[in-house]
Amino acid sequence: MSPETERADQAPRSLFDKVWEAHQVRAETDETPGLLYIDLHLVHEVTSPQAFSVLDERGLAVRRPDRTLATIDHSTPTLDFAPGDTPPYATAAAQSQVERLQDNTKKHGITLHGWGSGHRGVVHVIGPELGATQPGMTIVCGDSHTATHGAFGALAFGIGTTEVGHVLASQCLLQRKPKSMRVTVDGEVAKGISAKDIILAVIAEIGVDGGTGCVIEYAGSAIEALDMEGRMTVCNMSIEAGARAGMIAPDATTFDWLEGREHCPSGADWDQAVARWSALRSDPGARFDHEVMIDAANIRPMVTWGTAPDTGIAVNTPIPQPRSASHRKALSYMGLEAGMPVAGAKVDQVFIGSCTNSRITDLREAATIMSGRRVAEGVRALIVPGSVAVRAQAEAEGLDRIFLEAGAEWRQPGCSMCIAMNGDRGEPGQLVVSTSNRNFEGRQGPGVRTVLASPATAAAAAIAGHVIDPAELMEPAHA
Amino acid sequence: MPDQIDDIRQIDSRTFVIDQEDIDTDQIIPARFLTTTSRDGLGKLAFHDWRYDGEGKPLDTVSLNSLDTAECRVLVAGRNFGCGSSREHAPWALHDFGFRAVISSEFADIFRSNSARNGLLPIVAPEAAHNWLLANPGVSIKVDLASQHVDLGNGPSFDFAIEPFAKHCLMEGTDPLGFLMSHADAIDAYEADHA
């Protein structure tokens, strides 16, 4: 019996309800939260050392090393280095942090995709790439962008370091069930509009805290039309609207993308898995605490003008008059003026990468714009693939040549300038057009001004030397 | 285990006000300091880029640099405090700086749960009380966790909500990991059913 027929006599359930209920080890009570079982725990070097220390202090083992997967991404340099050499870490602390994870994973028998692994990369890129991320799973990581994995119909969310310790020791989390929100994006997007434009438009609509306390399900024809990379971009930024998780019901696009990946079942097991996963969608009539509708046809290439991710507007639209002291402060920090569009703002650096936009389709999107063109004088463009595998595929397709011939830097994988922990950063006062997820003050280095955008818009800014509608560069350049 | 857990059951303190919305975790502790492998001593990095110049010298004009945290242990901030990353370094830094409670009209989810686990009480105030606190910086208030009440003296005192288990842990010093581990049998049974 499928989960749907089993429950035919009961109230309609959402995708989130189904995954949540399937993972309850113990239901919540008035006095205590429930125990939620975690299928996959992703670990990286920044938010795990203090958690392993707690285990060591108490003499606790990692309960399920086989459900734990580690990589190094935040503190790691993206510069080339010769095999056998010490990686060119920005600081001794960064090196020590990476070595701590190497020691901790070895001690506890956890697989680490570290230096030398063909699957090292940004944690939210490699989970799906390996097929470790699967529909219906619960997935956590000490990283707020864990929602990325919800693109596959998983319930995936970020946790603090204390909770990292809880999952290492017990494979469970103490949780109360969050509220739910459905964001329906219906209609067809205009040519050249990408998933990043969609999610920036969604966040602008619901606000930086509009999803607080909620798990979002993204639905509608414009979401269904996205490829998996696009769906990951959408779910990735759920936290930028305050939501801990974002989910999309798995479908043929999902299954086709996953089939044959290393951690996925094969043969008859695969067929059974697909049958089971196919029931993972919200029942007709499922109830959500909040509903938001967005018309895809109205979405234009989006850029942010402020220092919070909900300040996205169409690139050629005038910046709105400030509604609060925070807005005035943000405009002043950004050096932008209300009444003027962001288009035209002079650009110092462009960053194409991050767990939001560093996958192969993102790099293709950027390469289409950069092909046969040159990065404007005085602009530094950094292209940072999300994983060793993405980098290899891009090189097999010749994308690296396009970037290098345009005068951009082609880097090794990592989080890089999204979080600016590894030495990749902007200088005070510089304007950076970035495909990452956060434009907070100082996020890309003290005093750096960040404009969030899609890979196409970022690539166009690199070529033009100022923020520009990428449609102006969509036609191929003449060689 | 946070130190001095007792001192958040009852807090008599003046407030320190930062009247700004959407204060994100990159403001609370910038990411470049997250290469630490310890949770201790992060107070000097709290609000680092607001407090120090480009050379790392403390800015005299920033009142956080001259704050007497012995008598000022409650931070009052604008709506949506702690948005952004999941870094637990944010409450570690605020706690080590000397704060024992943060009052706002709304907290980001992960910051809120991280704080309650680290001896930093996140208190959601009703709009009138929140506005009053923002407009009256430095007032003396009393926070009582047992009765979930904040006494604002001449201001609009209020009751606040807290997740019952988080309250229990803070009041009794109960360790949530110990509570989780006490359910090993149920976890074994779940795994056996789902193997």
Side-chain angles (χ1 to χ4, degrees), chain A residues 37 58 63 162 176 209, chain B residues 79 88 106 163 175 191:
Chain A
Y37 193 79
R58 300 191 183 201
R63 183 182 174 95
T162 298
R176 289 191 183 274
D209 57 350
Chain B
R79 185 184 53 82
E88 203 157 316
E106 181 186 53
E163 197 278 311
D175 166 37
E191 286 183 335

Side-chain angles (χ1 to χ4, degrees), chain A residues 74-331:
Chain A
H74 285 65
S75 299
T76 52
T78 58
L79 297 163
D80 292 327
F81 62 98
D85 283 4
T86 303
Y89 290 103
T91 61
Q95 176 170 356
S96 149
Q97 191 173 58
V98 167
E99 290 173 357
R100 183 70 74 87
L101 185 61
Q102 290 167 341
D103 293 346
N104 282 328
T105 50
K106 189 173 173 195
K107 177 177 173 183
H108 290 282
I110 295 166
T111 299
L112 169 67
H113 289 292
W115 300 116
S117 165
H119 285 290
R120 181 175 60 81
V122 177
V123 65
H124 308 310
V125 175
I126 69 158
E129 183 179 286
L130 285 161
T133 299
Q134 293 170 18
M137 278 186 164
T138 45
I139 301 175
V140 296
C141 175
D143 190 289
S144 60
H145 293 110
T146 307
T148 310
H149 308 266
F152 294 81
L155 174 63
F157 55 93
I159 56 177
T161 294
T162 298
E163 292 178 313
V164 169
H166 290 180
V167 180
L168 288 172
S170 72
Q171 207 58 34
C172 288
L173 276 178
L174 292 167
Q175 290 284 304
R176 289 191 183 274
K177 192 178 180 190
K179 291 185 164 29
S180 60
M181 173 185 282
R182 178 162 58 189
V183 174
T184 304
V185 189
D186 265 329
E188 202 172 324
V189 293
K191 185 171 176 289
I193 297 299
S194 73
K196 184 62 163 290
D197 300 308
I198 295 177
I199 190 61
L200 285 172
V202 167
I203 298 165
E205 173 69 24
I206 64 183
V208 70
D209 57 350
T212 299
C214 292
V215 167
I216 296 178
E217 179 176 343
Y218 299 97
S221 56
I223 300 295
E224 288 163 18
L226 291 172
D227 58 24
M228 288 316 298
E229 288 82 358
R231 293 181 190 184
M232 285 188 256
T233 299
V234 167
C235 289
N236 171 274
M237 289 189 73
S238 300
I239 186 73
E240 267 40 89
R244 285 186 75 175
M247 304 176 81
I248 295 172
D251 59 11
T253 303
T254 320
F255 309 142
D256 290 348
W257 197 93
L258 281 175
E259 190 170 11
R261 291 184 187 265
E262 191 176 324
H263 288 233
C264 281
S266 56
D269 290 344
W270 170 258
D271 296 336
Q272 281 174 17
V274 169
R276 203 170 61 244
W277 295 340
S278 299
L280 291 169
R281 44 189 52 253
S282 291
D283 300 330
R287 200 191 65 82
F288 294 84
D289 296 297
H290 307 277
E291 292 263 15
V292 175
M293 311 291 279
I294 308 248
D295 183 354
N298 290 338
I299 299 174
R300 296 286 169 268
M302 298 289 284
V303 289
T304 56
W305 58 263
T307 54
D310 64 349
T311 57
I313 51 171
V315 63
N316 285 323
T317 299
I319 297 168
Q321 295 300 320
R323 293 193 308 269
S324 65
S326 297
H327 279 182
R328 275 188 291 279
K329 182 169 178 287
L331 274 176

Side-chain angles (χ1 to χ4, degrees), chain A residues 22 26 30 37 50 58 63-64 97 100 143 160-163 176 209 213 419 421 438 440-441 443, chain B residues 24 26-27 31 34-38 79 84 86 88 106 109 114 117 163-164 175 183 188 190-191:
Chain A
R26 180 180 185 273
D30 286 348
Y37 193 79
Q50 297 89 347
R58 300 191 183 201
R63 183 182 174 95
R64 294 296 298 265
Q97 191 173 58
R100 183 70 74 87
D143 190 289
T161 294
T162 298
E163 292 178 313
R176 289 191 183 274
D209 57 350
I419 189 162
M421 284 184 67
R438 291 193 172 132
F440 300 148
E441 278 186 29
R443 172 78 178 183
Chain B
D24 58 77
D26 278 281
Q27 308 314 308
L34 304 187
T35 50
T36 179
T37 54
S38 166
R79 185 184 53 82
S86 62
E88 203 157 316
E106 181 186 53
D109 289 335
N114 283 342
R117 295 183 198 285
E163 197 278 311
D175 166 37
H183 291 87
D188 288 345
Y190 179 92
E191 286 183 335

